[in-house]
Amino acid sequence: MKLDLHVELEEQMEKTIEALKFEFGTIRAGRANASMLDKVRVDYYGTPTPVNQMAAVAVSEGRVLTITPWDKSVIHAIEKAISDSDIGIAPSNDGSVIRLTVPQLTEERRKELAKKANKASESFKVRIRNERRDANDKIKKMEKAAELTEDDAKKATDEVQKMTDKYIKVIDQLTDEKEKDILSV
């Protein structure tokens, strides 16, 4: 039972790290990146659909993202969804391809994006700590139910703390990398 708890906790923390990586992928750093569009949904016959399921998305130059819809009739819907999103880039449409030119970031905008990355980092650290709290609560319940001895409960709690520290450190490393990426000119 104790082992299952640790495996479950590790899986939850890994999912949290993956979610953070996804979040960081949507924060642009002055270069075109297909993951910038991951949160953009297009109304396609009444269904919110991700852009990458409706079109080929590619980086054609360092700062230009091209979106080539497979169904040309949805090009205006894709363009509208991008315009309405929070990515802050105006799309240009030539009738068959949509181009997003990522502008050079100003120093002020870079600092703003670094703050956004730090804010995301903090919220994901809170998620990790909440997972720790839940695991520790389960350990306490198991100890009260006499499924664990006091010593085993102490060891399990220590393992949970080690795992928490490990994943908090991973979040810090990912945040440092993202900040360097954002702040580099």
Side-chain angles (χ1 to χ4, degrees), residues 29 31 110 114 117 173-185:
R31 287 181 290 285
R110 286 179 191 280
Q173 289 170 338
L174 291 171
T175 305
D176 288 346
E177 289 171 16
K178 187 62 180 180
E179 274 187 350
K180 286 177 187 166
D181 188 34
I182 292 170
L183 297 173
S184 66
V185 179

Side-chain angles (χ1 to χ4, degrees), residues 12-41:
Q12 289 173 322
M13 289 186 175
E14 280 294 333
K15 287 179 184 174
T16 301
I17 296 299
E18 290 307 310
L20 177 64
K21 288 178 181 176
F22 176 82
E23 184 72 25
F24 280 172
T26 63
I27 299 173
R28 62 187 177 93
R31 287 181 290 285
N33 183 343
S35 63
M36 291 167 42
L37 300 174
D38 284 349
K39 290 184 178 179
V40 177
R41 300 283 185 262

